Amino acid sequence: MERERARIAKAREALVLLAFAAGICEGQGVGGGGARPCDPPTPFGPSHDLYCIELVAAPGIKGVSGRVELANSPGPFTVSVTADGHARFVPIATVSGLPRTPHHAPRTVYVAWATTPQMDSWLNLGVVRNGRVTLRPIEFDKFNILISAERSARVREPTGRIILRGQSPSTRPFPPDLMEFSLGAAGSPPAMDHAGHDSSAWPMVPTPPGLMMLPSEMALRPEVTPFLPATDAPLPNAEPNEVLHLKDGDIVDLDAELVRRTIAGQSFTMYSYNGQYPGPLLEVSRGSEIMVRFTNHLSDSTSIHWHGIRLENAFDGVQGVSDAFTYKLRFPDAGIFWYHPHIREDIQQALGLYGNILVREPGAKVAANREQILMLQDLLVGDPGLIPFGRESPTHALMGRFGNVFLVNGEPGYRLAVRRGEVVRFYLTNASSTRTLNVSFPGARMKVVATDAGPFEREAWVESVVIAPAERYVVHVRFDKPGKVALVNKVIGLDHLFGKFFPMVDTLGVVSVASQPVQRDLGRVFAILDRRRPPLTALDRRHSLSRPPDHTLVLTLQTHGLPFVTERLMQLDSIYFAPVEWGGTMPMMNWASTGRQVRWVLKDAATGLENMDIAWHFRRGEPAKIRLVNERRAFHGMQHPIHLHGQRFLVLAVNGVPNEDLAWKDTVLVPAGAVVDILLDTQNPGEWMLHCHIAEHLSSGMMLHFTVD
Ligand code: C2O
Ligand code: CU
């Protein structure tokens, strides 16, 4: 008897230890990546309201409670979605008070379910017990969660008694009440606003098809002067870009100049480097150094920022250049980088000032049959031409300018011809002002191998690539079947007026696969997922995860003087924010918001200082942990791609879930209401910037500076 008791006690102890270890692996408590959404709320934790579902007991059920955390599923992206763009969450249930299996029903199990609001499809998420259980991923836009008592874990639909239930945060947006409609139907603002700008000077902005808008929304116009480059002089037609293979010590000339570009049959006056779109591709070796003699032929000041390159501080390119400047560039890291102006990006980058830099590791072999370097951008085009920009201050200050024409390397309708079985290495750069893309090649297998400034420690199969402005991803794609494979962007937009999610699909290009097989078949190499030495030792990783952040930065905004209808509708809308605003589904309100009414804010949690009043100091070589907190309670919550100049960093954790696949990055997407921890490698001395890479957010103040001594 005594022995039996001891044995049970020991088994229990082992179980507790196991549970504890599991908790640690999932980042709970000590050793984890910070607070989780279902933890007791803390001021700088992830949003409980967007990422945690409180379960309520069904009528007649006593003493049972629970909640479900909606965790980002592990992988190379800070936001997990399906190839079609549906949010994918890993539900983690914590339940207490479930009655022990009664003697008369020895086979009772508690099963968790996800179902659509119409209950037309059921997903068995797995068995729950008292305590914490990680369940199967959910890919519904809106869903209910139920926990039922069942005879078997393998039932297809709940048949037993419902114990607990809850609703996803995404079920909260509803068609609004009559009040909102009547508000939207009333009054239109005068054509001449108080600042004396003639709003009738603006052409109508295009809106996504199928989206209904209210009359007072339709009457909104930005209160700034419309601007587009213009000249009487005849302009050269822009050409597709060239590749410049550069050796150590080479000097190259880059000229910013006006060009004529024809896109989808319309002709526009735009900007270019050396008359090309995109700017010339600079191909260099790691460790080399080059000089760029830059001349500005534009009437406005501009600059070239070398995004992601850990160069000497004086050449970072944040200072305006009115006529000429020589940049000295060194390349300590292999990877795909890019260059663009750092003055009014919302205008200059959008009009074509961007190009890639491919830094190759000397002697490295590429496990692909060919390489394609793709710069992705969306341009906003109306009937009479490009939609003008705001001269004094950016338009689209709330969500950024979403374009309606998708460009790959400056042109719509990207084309590529390959042979059957070819493996193509794509280098993707998102040069859009605000649009985060979810791109895929439906039907072709894809693995992600590298990002901004280096490879992932583990390559991974992915169904799509989530790429925010300024991010880069390197993927290998194998085209096995003859025929056509599209390059698509598939996302789910939110129709704010009717509270429903709807698919948005754009075709960026087509790959034609010939039936003739490729000569050098790399299928065997392609099938293997490579591993590399992780950028951090296991010990450093654990230490970085558990230690408190050196700085906590809150991402938020302030507004003043927004039109009444915008103010009111956006407040109603704040009941729910999607992790990513994919499609700009409030086009009029967004368009009419300018940098004069919207101030995007980076706020230091410790000092309360904001934007350029913040001046952090780091000791060179001492890694710094920074916590990025995207404030849920902001007037408008949305994702921010945060970029740091001159250094590189690792993404340690998202909403407290440790990242198991590290890679060096310079830009990270922080989803709405989420908390992302990064570890900054402070190797490069100088005074640098940290900012949101949404061009309109940056132009509306969202930046700070820091010094590495
Ligand atoms: Cu690519 Cu400071 O930016
Ligand atoms: Cu932003």
Side-chain angles (χ1 to χ4, degrees):
M1 192 63 187
E2 197 65 279
R3 223 195 269 156
E4 181 68 347
R5 222 175 264 150
R7 199 180 61 82
I8 291 173
K10 209 169 209 166
R12 260 208 205 119
E13 203 175 82
L15 265 179
V16 168
L17 269 175
L18 255 177
F20 183 67
I24 283 197
C25 293
E26 286 175 356
Q28 203 187 32
V30 202
R36 307 281 291 246
C38 286
D39 289 351
T42 55
F44 304 116
S47 166
H48 181 92
D49 168 68
L50 295 179
Y51 299 108
C52 181
I53 300 174
E54 292 287 346
L55 300 177
V56 284
I61 303 285
K62 298 247 151 44
V64 189
S65 66
R67 44 179 69 110
V68 174
E69 175 185 334
L70 301 176
N72 186 46
S73 84
F77 314 110
T78 53
V79 172
S80 170
V81 292
T82 67
D84 288 337
H86 301 286
R88 177 194 284 124
F89 290 115
V90 176
I92 303 173
T94 308
V95 182
S96 65
L98 284 174
R100 253 198 269 155
T101 309
H103 285 301
H104 57 271
R107 286 183 300 145
T108 297
V109 286
Y110 297 103
V111 176
W113 303 91
T115 178
T116 56
Q118 299 77 26
M119 302 201 184
D120 48 12
S121 127
W122 289 88
L123 184 66
N124 183 325
L125 299 175
V127 170
V128 294
R129 292 165 252 109
N130 286 322
R132 194 178 150 90
V133 182
T134 300
L135 300 164
R136 286 184 201 108
I138 304 175
E139 298 171 356
F140 295 136
D141 297 324
K142 295 187 175 193
F143 54 91
N144 298 323
I145 287 199
L146 298 172
I147 290 175
S148 66
E150 301 291 343
R151 288 287 183 77
S152 149
R154 280 197 298 275
V155 277
R156 291 271 177 87
E157 281 187 13
T159 53
R161 185 165 188 193
I162 303 296
I163 310 289
L164 291 167
R165 52 199 184 168
Q167 287 184 304
S168 71
S170 52
T171 55
R172 286 198 298 260
F174 262 110
D177 50 26
L178 259 170
M179 158 71 188
E180 190 173 347
F181 276 106
S182 53
L183 174 99
S188 39
M192 194 72 78
D193 64 66
H194 52 263
H197 297 287
D198 183 4
S199 348
S200 63
W202 287 93
M204 183 58 191
V205 76
T207 58
L211 208 62
M212 197 191 111
M213 265 161 299
L214 302 167
S216 65
E217 258 183 286
M218 295 300 286
L220 293 169
R221 292 293 179 277
E223 296 182 358
V224 284
T225 315
F227 166 80
L228 277 176
T231 174
D232 295 330
L235 289 177
N237 286 321
E239 304 273 333
N241 72 344
E242 57 178 342
V243 186
L244 299 175
H245 299 271
L246 302 168
K247 293 186 304 300
D248 189 37
D250 277 359
I251 300 174
V252 37
D253 289 310
L254 281 184
D255 291 48
E257 54 203 19
L258 285 176
V259 281
R260 177 138 300 274
R261 273 176 65 182
T262 305
I263 294 170
Q266 269 179 293
S267 155
F268 312 121
T269 302
M270 293 177 69
Y271 295 158
S272 78
Y273 292 117
N274 294 3
Q276 301 170 18
Y277 60 88
L281 168 66
L282 313 182
E283 203 180 308
V284 297
S285 293
R286 189 175 68 80
S288 65
E289 207 173 278
I290 63 164
M291 303 272 247
V292 176
R293 284 193 305 225
F294 173 57
T295 314
N296 178 13
H297 302 282
L298 307 175
S299 49
D300 293 308
S301 143
T302 183
S303 72
I304 310 185
H305 167 59
W306 311 92
H307 184 115
I309 293 173
R310 298 192 293 163
L311 40 54
E312 230 173 280
N313 191 236
F315 305 107
D316 193 37
V318 294
Q319 238 63 268
V321 175
S322 39
D323 12 84
F325 188 82
T326 300
Y327 295 97
K328 189 174 79 185
L329 312 183
R330 59 156 198 243
F331 305 101
D333 308 297
I336 184 79
F337 301 92
W338 67 301
Y339 58 97
H340 62 78
H342 224 290
I343 314 269
R344 285 305 294 272
E345 291 85 333
D346 64 302
I347 301 175
Q348 299 189 359
Q349 187 183 298
L351 285 173
L353 290 182
Y354 57 79
N356 267 136
I357 306 161
L358 178 57
V359 185
R360 291 197 188 273
E361 183 65 44
K365 283 212 190 64
V366 171
N369 298 102
R370 77 170 81 205
E371 294 179 298
Q372 289 284 292
I373 290 147
L374 309 186
M375 299 199 89
L376 314 173
Q377 190 210 345
D378 59 337
L379 194 63
L380 186 58
V381 183
D383 287 333
L386 295 174
I387 297 299
F389 301 86
R391 179 181 288 283
E392 304 85 357
S393 176
T395 62
H396 298 89
L398 276 173
M399 298 168 202
R401 174 180 293 239
F402 284 93
N404 57 345
V405 176
F406 286 79
L407 306 177
V408 177
N409 293 337
E411 276 182 312
Y414 164 74
R415 291 277 176 280
L416 178 70
V418 300
R419 286 184 175 185
R420 180 162 57 84
E422 247 189 77
V423 174
V424 183
R425 179 175 170 93
F426 289 97
Y427 297 83
L428 307 173
T429 303
N430 187 348
S432 305
S433 296
T434 191
R435 188 183 292 273
T436 295
L437 297 155
N438 179 44
V439 290
S440 61
F441 293 94
R445 225 169 163 209
M446 171 156 71
K447 71 175 165 188
V448 62
V449 300
T451 182
D452 304 349
F456 284 98
E457 59 175 297
R458 281 186 276 153
E459 296 181 348
W461 299 114
V462 288
E463 50 183 292
S464 61
V465 174
V466 174
I467 182 167
E471 278 193 303
R472 285 90 65 210
Y473 284 96
V474 183
V475 293
H476 289 187
V477 183
R478 186 162 197 256
F479 297 95
D480 288 349
K481 293 180 222 73
K484 300 226 181 296
V485 180
L487 168 57
V488 292
N489 175 47
K490 289 186 167 191
V491 298
I492 301 293
L494 175 56
D495 179 335
H496 299 265
L497 196 55
F498 289 98
K500 44 169 218 253
F501 291 91
F502 66 102
M504 302 172 96
V505 180
D506 304 285
T507 302
L508 278 55
V510 174
V511 180
S512 307
V513 188
S515 47
Q516 199 180 15
V518 65
Q519 274 182 356
R520 196 165 62 104
D521 191 338
L522 296 170
R524 297 256 298 276
V525 188
F526 180 74
I528 298 164
L529 293 177
D530 255 350
R531 278 167 175 264
R532 289 173 196 86
R533 196 148 59 91
L536 274 187
T537 65
L539 192 71
D540 283 344
R541 191 184 290 223
R542 231 173 302 137
H543 172 71
S544 313
L545 277 170
S546 59
R547 76 167 163 120
D550 298 295
H551 292 289
T552 297
L553 194 64
V554 179
L555 321 179
T556 185
L557 87 165
Q558 290 156 358
T559 62
H560 65 273
L562 279 174
F564 175 73
V565 58
T566 307
E567 208 47 75
R568 179 80 185 116
L569 291 181
M570 304 248 340
Q571 260 158 20
L572 288 172
D573 207 66
S574 66
I575 186 149
Y576 169 74
F577 295 130
V580 174
E581 166 71 52
W582 297 99
T585 49
M586 291 176 165
M588 298 300 295
M589 286 189 276
N590 182 27
W591 180 36
S593 66
T594 71
R596 292 169 159 179
Q597 297 146 323
V598 176
R599 180 172 170 259
W600 283 98
V601 178
L602 301 170
K603 187 180 182 141
D604 185 332
T607 61
L609 293 177
E610 296 179 351
N611 293 349
M612 288 305 272
D613 290 338
I614 302 174
W616 289 339
H617 277 270
F618 299 110
R619 294 264 296 275
R620 185 177 179 186
E622 283 179 12
K625 179 170 174 178
I626 301 171
R627 176 160 293 169
L628 303 166
V629 181
N630 195 341
E631 191 168 71
R632 160 67 175 106
R633 258 161 278 279
F635 171 74
H636 178 68
M638 64 178 285
Q639 73 282 3
H640 300 281
I642 299 296
H643 167 51
L644 285 98
H645 285 205
Q647 324 292 326
R648 57 181 187 173
F649 61 76
L650 300 168
V651 177
L652 289 174
V654 179
N655 282 353
V657 179
N659 178 8
E660 272 148 26
D661 197 1
L662 299 179
W664 290 113
K665 286 188 66 68
D666 55 55
T667 308
V668 62
L669 182 64
V670 185
V675 173
V676 173
D677 285 349
I678 62 170
L679 188 69
L680 185 67
D681 183 23
T682 53
Q683 294 291 349
N684 197 9
E687 198 192 316
W688 307 94
M689 291 180 72
L690 175 158
H691 63 87
C692 175
H693 219 288
I694 292 178
E696 292 76 10
H697 291 184
L698 172 56
S699 294
S700 305
M702 208 169 194
M703 57 182 146
L704 60 80
H705 54 139
F706 64 91
T707 310
V708 176
D709 300 319

